[in-house]
Amino acid sequence: MDDKDILARVDELVAEERALRDRSTGHGLGTDERVRLNDLEARLDQCWDLLRQRRARDEFGTDPNTATTRPAREVEGYES
């Protein structure tokens, strides 16, 4: 998966996230939708983390293809 593929996946996830958030306005979300929204947020964080890893490897002269998707639990634990 290259940077373009990751960004395309981000676009897909963001579109789904927006659709869920739009549906939630004024009505709230059902249990399944809340679970899906949480999953989308975690997957987005994983995609952004993978992209950052790839770009850092490229910047420092190592193979960006050695970057791997980290577990959601690990990525979600990062502090801003």
Side-chain angles (χ1 to χ4, degrees):
M1 182 179 276
D2 65 13
D3 291 2
K4 288 171 95 174
D5 294 330
I6 296 168
L7 289 169
R9 182 69 179 137
V10 165
D11 286 342
E12 292 169 7
L13 294 170
V14 166
E16 187 177 352
E17 179 188 35
R18 282 186 183 144
L20 276 173
R21 290 190 188 280
D22 288 347
R23 278 201 310 266
S24 73
T25 304
H27 303 99
L29 294 174
T31 302
D32 290 344
E33 291 172 316
R34 282 193 307 272
V35 168
R36 180 61 183 156
L37 184 57
N38 287 335
D39 181 58
L40 288 168
E41 291 169 347
R43 288 177 187 261
L44 278 165
D45 288 345
Q46 286 177 300
C47 286
W48 288 121
D49 176 67
L50 180 59
L51 192 59
R52 282 190 296 273
Q53 286 182 62
R54 289 181 54 79
R55 289 177 175 173
R57 281 173 169 74
D58 189 49
E59 180 179 346
F60 291 99
T62 59
D63 184 2
N65 293 318
T66 62
T68 59
T69 303
R70 298 183 224 224
R73 186 178 303 172
E74 182 178 339
V75 175
E76 291 291 291
Y78 294 158
E79 303 240 350
S80 298

